[in-house]
Amino acid sequence: MWTEEHRRIYQREGAGYPSDLRDAEWERLAPLIPEALPGSRPRKTDMRAAINAILYVLRTGCPWRYLPRDSFPPRSTVYNIFRKFQREGVWEAIWAELHMALRERTGREASPSAAVLDSQSVKSAEKGAVTTARWVMTPASGSRAAKSTVWSTVKGCRCESSSTRPKSRIAAGPA
């Protein structure tokens, strides 16, 4: 239930944007942000400002190029940090840590002890392994778009169905 105490806790006033992290939120998040690699240049970017910029983009849905320049690092820096965290699994680690903390705070065990599967989940899981995309040259017409199409294949599939890739004209990348 939403109470006056909740309103006081979550009220965002002062400088900055409503999506900016409060001090208590940043204290919780700061240890989960990886340090600069040893032996590399020291980090010049304020990571709190970069995270605030990422949260601003995610909350507003604006394109990266519309990121306000007044209080955030350059948009290319913010985007590169976002993508690096995505590649290295930092977002998943942050989500997992915060999810476990939330479960403990509500009086439950950190890891769930049971799961619920409905029939749709089971049906989709039975369809097969993870699919990958490969670029395949098609013997179709003369346009460049018609010559390169994505062909989905199933990893480990040894069947002779339509999901297997053709045996000829395989390209390593887009033509």
Side-chain angles (χ1 to χ4, degrees):
M1 181 170 178
W2 195 250
T3 64
E4 287 301 320
E5 180 183 351
H6 289 121
R7 284 189 175 89
R8 220 175 322 108
I9 291 171
Y10 293 104
Q11 187 174 10
R12 308 228 181 211
E13 291 181 354
Y17 295 97
S19 60
D20 287 353
L21 292 170
R22 295 186 312 250
D23 291 335
E25 292 170 336
W26 176 246
E27 287 175 18
R28 177 77 178 155
L29 195 61
L32 303 174
I33 305 294
E35 296 293 325
L37 295 175
S40 64
R41 290 187 329 193
R43 192 178 274 160
K44 293 180 184 177
T45 306
D46 177 18
M47 290 306 289
R48 183 173 181 172
I51 297 296
N52 283 338
I54 291 168
L55 292 174
Y56 178 85
V57 169
L58 294 175
R59 179 68 180 140
T60 62
C62 73
W64 290 101
R65 68 181 175 274
Y66 291 166
L67 193 64
R69 297 178 186 165
D70 57 350
S71 59
F72 298 133
R75 68 177 187 225
S76 60
T77 303
V78 174
Y79 178 76
N80 289 337
I81 290 170
F82 175 76
R83 290 300 305 230
K84 182 178 184 216
F85 283 9
Q86 206 173 27
R87 279 191 312 272
E88 295 176 357
V90 174
W91 298 124
E92 288 84 6
I94 289 172
W95 183 86
E97 178 69 28
L98 295 176
H99 186 249
M100 286 190 307
L102 177 65
R103 288 182 61 85
E104 289 173 348
R105 195 172 78 201
T106 58
R108 302 190 307 187
E109 290 187 30
S111 298
S113 58
V116 176
L117 297 175
D118 65 352
S119 61
Q120 292 298 319
S121 300
V122 174
K123 284 180 186 175
S124 64
E126 291 174 353
K127 291 204 181 219
V130 178
T131 60
T132 59
R134 295 184 183 212
W135 286 93
V136 176
M137 299 296 290
T138 59
S141 67
S143 71
R144 276 178 40 185
K147 287 184 180 178
S148 63
T149 58
V150 176
W151 183 275
S152 294
T153 60
V154 178
K155 285 186 179 179
C157 181
R158 301 283 184 235
C159 60
E160 291 296 321
S161 67
S162 63
S163 65
T164 59
R165 60 185 170 95
K167 301 201 185 307
S168 63
R169 305 185 85 184
I170 298 173

